Amino acid sequence: MPVITLAGERLIAQKQAAGAPLTIDGFVLANVPGLDPVAPIDRNEGLPDASHQVFSGGVTQVGYVNPNLVVYSLILDSTQGDFAFNWIGLISTADDNAVVAIAHVPLQQKRKTQGGVTGNAITRNFMLEFNGAQSLTDITVSADTWQIDFTARLLGIDERERLSNQDFYGAATFIQDGFKVVHAGGRFALQPGVGYVGGVRIELTEPLAVTVTARPASIWVDAALVGDVSGVEARLQVIVAEQAEGGPDANGVRHYVAKLADIAIDGVITDLRPLAVAAIKDALKAHKVNSDPHPQYLTDGQGRSVAGEVAKSALTAHQADADPHAQYLDTDRGKKVAAQVVQGFMGAHMAQADPHPNYLRKEQFTTLISGRKNLLINPYFSVWQSGPTVVSPTHGTYLADGWKLHRVNKFNGELNAHLLDNKLGMALTCTAASTRNGLVSVSQFVEASTLHPITSLGKTSMVKAVFKVRFCANYTGKLSVAVHNRDASLLLGWKSSPITGGATFPFQEVEVAFEFGDYHLSPERTGVGVIVSVHVEDDTHCGFAAKANNQLRLHAMQLELGETSSEFEPISLHEALAQCQRYYRAVTIPYLQGWTTDEERFTVGSLWYPTMRVPPAVSLLDLSCTGGIFARAEGITDKNCYITLQPNGSGHTAIRQGRAILDARF
């Protein structure tokens, strides 16, 4: 432990008596043979022999902590060295190199940068405490945080937070299904979630497999706060044992344990987790049996009495006022003003050529992509408006914008999808192996209007195109790419490629050339197109679902017209987002008439099929009808917008004219 020497103590006393400033301005480092760093320091000790001194230099920085505590710092950068030292002295060169304070330390190395080898930089601080230290040393600068050891205080803060958690949650508490032991896919695992053990907050962000070699067995979780002054974190480990004990380990780190479950010899799981719900129920029960759990509030009778008096007084004052609602318009004036406001607003709105400039029209969207060779939306999987992670998606779930998951019931594995860290590409991760082979694919529907030449084809004309995919994986197997017509009844192109994956995720590419014409698609123009897809699994088992943690990364997709493929076309995030976001179109409703005495749903014409993956919402403007009390838009599917009329009982309703606004997101 560092000490102030007797010479330093005498020097301090002399300066205080004389009213003179104390100048401490030097450091000395030495390598003293046979020095015991833990033995008490002799306060009579002076400077070591000159042959043992390895460094002497000035104080780098000084500062005060409080009027009685000052800090002297030495910084040695990587240009100084090489030497070793185990003795540190703080001296006053103005007073015949008097040694003011000494510290004995374990042997430490100081190396400089040379020969391509990087050296080290070190900082050493001396903190001196005596009455009037700041005044005597004439130090006017407060100490920087790096000059002071906050270890004890920071560790105390961590412990205080742990104790607060323990006071609130008890010895152990788990929230909902957090850390629940389940059996799935032939293995035991802990469910993701949050728990508190001994006041330490622990969390699983994904299922954690547990190896159980013999049954019966007990599952425990061990939690500890591990770290140093630069930061601590909660560490957990799962223990399979009949009994588990907490307490400090060999490094002095205290561990806390909680029993999660017992597993019987037949595999039956008994959940033993203390749940937060149970603690809340106990607290609520105690709250209810209290005769007056809220003494700070008025009782029902007191409240009614006070409220009655207040209301009576307020009502009397209100009635005595000649115009108690002067801030409001009367009924007639209000109706006139409201009508004028609505009429003026709607008139101005409808008079605009483009009343919604913040949305893309369909023709603007077509123009946006017509200048690009890649006809796919979100080809680099960079836009995820529904969130960058999809856990256990089911059949028909959209992953990244524009890309849908297809999986048949026969496939019984599990997978997750998420955006890659570099914001370009989608990762598919197998979280539970499949015991049965079945189709799993990622696909996008491409409208015929996007496939520009298709709108002008004759019945016998053919269009050539290429669908290309860039991918990588950490497993071996195969991957297939396919192109179908809209209802997948016709296969236009198919190509299977081996996956030569590994831990380094080597890049691979596969492409399929195909051709199509009007007769491949549909005799109707609206809403037709093709489907491009990447088959991750099929009936022959491609390897992805063979085991958990297999991962396939899809980096880029490209669909282009022509006989051969070209380099992947760059696309900015702004352009990709514009393709995926909302657009709208105003349509005119034709004359429609019907006879009914009940509420009836009328189908209004063949209006518009949305390019995006979400059917658009419908709102009505300036709708004129006879016989009906009101009309409302019910929804849109494919090309049909449904309008609901409520007749007035005459048995005759009709829509004369009107407009509808259709808009869609994603």
Side-chain angles (χ1 to χ4, degrees):
M1 180 178 180
V3 298
I4 296 177
T5 66
L6 293 178
E9 189 176 282
R10 288 192 296 270
L11 181 61
I12 292 170
Q14 292 171 3
K15 297 295 184 181
Q16 286 176 331
L22 172 63
T23 302
I24 301 176
D25 54 2
F27 272 92
V28 174
L29 306 180
N31 187 355
V32 179
L35 184 67
D36 184 357
V38 298
I41 299 175
D42 183 358
R43 295 181 65 201
N44 286 303
E45 188 175 321
L47 285 172
D49 188 82
S51 63
H52 297 152
Q53 296 180 25
V54 295
F55 172 86
S56 63
V59 172
T60 306
Q61 185 162 330
V62 297
Y64 71 89
V65 179
N66 60 49
N68 299 323
L69 197 61
V70 291
V71 182
Y72 295 86
S73 300
L74 172 65
I75 300 175
L76 298 177
D77 61 25
S78 58
T79 64
Q80 295 169 295
D82 293 339
F83 56 79
F85 64 94
N86 57 6
W87 188 95
I88 306 174
L90 190 62
I91 66 173
S92 173
T93 60
D95 295 282
D96 297 326
N97 287 335
V99 180
V100 179
I102 294 173
H104 293 175
V105 297
L107 189 65
Q108 301 180 27
Q109 301 293 329
K110 177 66 189 76
R111 301 180 305 277
K112 69 178 180 180
T113 299
Q114 55 184 342
V117 178
T118 303
N120 63 334
I122 63 175
T123 301
R124 293 296 177 264
N125 301 306
F126 253 114
M127 188 176 296
L128 302 183
E129 183 175 15
F130 54 89
N131 288 335
Q134 179 195 353
S135 175
L136 184 63
T137 57
D138 199 21
I139 296 176
T140 59
V141 180
S142 60
D144 286 336
T145 55
W146 59 267
Q147 293 180 274
I148 306 170
D149 184 4
F150 283 101
T151 303
R153 181 162 188 182
L154 292 176
L155 295 179
I157 292 172
D158 294 331
E159 177 64 8
R160 188 159 59 249
E161 181 184 11
R162 186 194 69 79
L163 292 174
S164 297
N165 288 339
Q166 184 170 276
D167 291 342
F168 187 79
Y169 292 106
T173 298
F174 298 88
I175 298 174
Q176 295 180 339
D177 287 339
F179 290 80
K180 183 178 181 179
V181 180
V182 297
H183 187 266
R187 63 176 187 170
F188 294 96
L190 302 186
Q191 293 283 72
V194 174
Y196 290 84
V197 178
V200 178
R201 184 185 186 276
I202 54 176
E203 180 177 8
L204 288 177
T205 57
E206 58 185 27
L208 177 63
V210 178
T211 301
V212 179
T213 58
R215 297 196 294 258
S218 297
I219 310 297
W220 302 72
V221 64
D222 178 302
L225 286 174
V226 180
D228 53 29
V229 67
S230 63
V232 296
E233 63 177 355
R235 300 275 181 85
L236 66 91
Q237 65 179 32
V238 179
I239 300 173
V240 181
E242 181 178 349
Q243 190 65 34
E245 299 291 339
D249 59 18
N251 297 319
V253 176
R254 180 167 292 277
H255 293 252
Y256 307 89
V257 298
K259 196 172 188 180
L260 300 177
D262 283 333
I263 302 175
I265 194 169
D266 59 357
V268 174
I269 301 172
T270 302
D271 187 9
L272 300 177
R273 298 170 305 130
L275 295 176
V277 174
I280 293 172
K281 286 182 177 179
D282 291 342
L284 183 59
K285 183 177 180 181
H287 180 82
K288 288 181 176 179
V289 299
N290 192 333
S291 59
D292 186 8
H294 300 288
Q296 71 273 34
Y297 301 142
L298 294 174
T299 64
D300 183 62
Q302 293 169 329
R304 289 175 184 271
S305 176
V306 172
E309 291 298 324
V310 171
K312 184 177 180 180
S313 175
L315 183 59
T316 300
H318 181 82
Q319 292 174 339
D321 194 330
D323 186 5
H325 299 289
Q327 71 273 34
Y328 301 141
L329 294 172
D330 60 37
T331 304
D332 292 337
R333 285 187 296 166
K335 288 183 177 179
K336 290 180 181 179
V337 171
Q340 291 171 353
V341 170
V342 173
Q343 184 177 5
F345 174 77
M346 291 306 299
H349 181 83
M350 294 166 59
Q352 296 182 43
D354 186 4
H356 298 284
N358 50 322
Y359 300 151
L360 284 176
R361 294 177 181 272
K362 186 179 180 183
E363 56 268 23
Q364 291 173 319
F365 171 76
T366 304
T367 301
L368 178 65
I369 68 171
S370 63
R372 297 175 47 240
K373 68 179 180 181
N374 192 348
L375 303 178
L376 297 177
I377 295 172
N378 199 18
Y380 293 96
F381 308 95
S382 55
V383 179
W384 297 62
Q385 294 186 82
S386 297
T389 301
V390 183
V391 178
S392 299
T394 57
H395 175 70
T397 299
Y398 277 92
L399 309 174
D401 281 29
W403 296 98
K404 181 186 291 187
L405 178 72
H406 180 86
R407 56 181 285 180
V408 298
N409 293 334
K410 192 164 56 173
F411 177 82
N412 62 354
E414 288 295 337
L415 58 93
N416 294 340
H418 67 86
L419 173 66
L420 290 175
D421 291 340
N422 61 1
K423 310 303 182 186
L424 291 176
M426 173 171 63
L428 300 174
T429 304
C430 178
T431 57
S434 177
T435 59
R436 301 194 301 267
N437 300 343
L439 178 64
V440 178
S441 65
V442 177
S443 64
Q444 182 175 130
F445 171 68
V446 186
E447 277 198 337
S449 60
T450 303
L451 305 170
H452 182 60
I454 195 66
T455 59
S456 58
L457 287 177
K459 288 298 182 181
T460 59
S461 300
M462 300 295 290
V463 172
K464 297 181 183 294
V466 181
F467 174 44
K468 182 169 67 170
V469 179
R470 176 177 291 170
F471 66 95
C472 61
N474 64 351
Y475 62 93
T476 58
K478 69 176 182 178
L479 178 139
S480 302
V481 293
V483 184
H484 293 83
N485 67 331
R486 182 184 175 191
D487 61 3
S489 60
L490 292 174
L491 178 63
L492 304 178
W494 172 276
K495 181 68 174 291
S496 183
S497 172
I499 296 178
T500 57
T504 60
F505 286 89
F507 281 105
Q508 295 180 246
E509 291 184 7
V510 60
E511 63 181 57
V512 58
F514 65 99
E515 58 182 20
F516 61 95
D518 275 2
Y519 60 90
H520 283 128
L521 305 176
S522 168
E524 298 177 4
R525 290 290 186 190
T526 307
V528 300
V530 299
I531 297 175
V532 297
S533 58
V534 176
H535 290 213
V536 182
E537 278 289 337
D538 60 25
D539 288 339
T540 63
H541 206 43
C542 299
F544 170 77
K547 65 177 182 178
N549 296 322
N550 278 355
Q551 187 176 92
L552 173 68
R553 299 176 180 176
L554 300 174
H555 290 277
M557 306 277 201
Q558 184 155 295
L559 174 64
E560 57 185 309
L561 300 178
E563 297 184 4
T564 58
S565 67
S566 59
E567 290 297 319
F568 285 96
E569 180 182 35
I571 178 174
S572 68
L573 178 60
H574 174 76
E575 184 180 354
L577 184 61
Q579 295 172 4
C580 298
Q581 284 184 326
R582 177 180 294 187
Y583 58 95
Y584 89 101
R585 182 175 179 180
V587 295
T588 300
I589 300 174
Y591 178 90
L592 183 68
Q593 183 170 305
W595 289 264
T596 180
T597 56
D598 298 315
E599 186 176 51
E600 180 170 322
R601 186 175 72 177
F602 295 96
T603 302
V604 180
S606 177
L607 297 180
W608 173 56
Y609 187 83
T611 301
M612 299 305 178
R613 63 183 171 90
V614 173
V618 184
S619 57
L620 301 178
L621 296 176
D622 53 28
L623 187 67
S624 172
C625 60
T626 60
I629 297 175
F630 66 87
R632 69 175 184 269
E634 201 171 274
I636 182 165
T637 58
D638 291 345
K639 299 176 288 297
N640 298 321
C641 174
Y642 301 116
I643 305 298
T644 298
L645 296 180
Q646 178 70 50
N648 60 8
S650 66
H652 177 85
T653 59
I655 298 177
R656 298 297 180 184
Q657 62 182 6
R659 290 197 308 152
I661 295 290
L662 290 73
D663 60 75
R665 187 182 293 275
F666 307 129

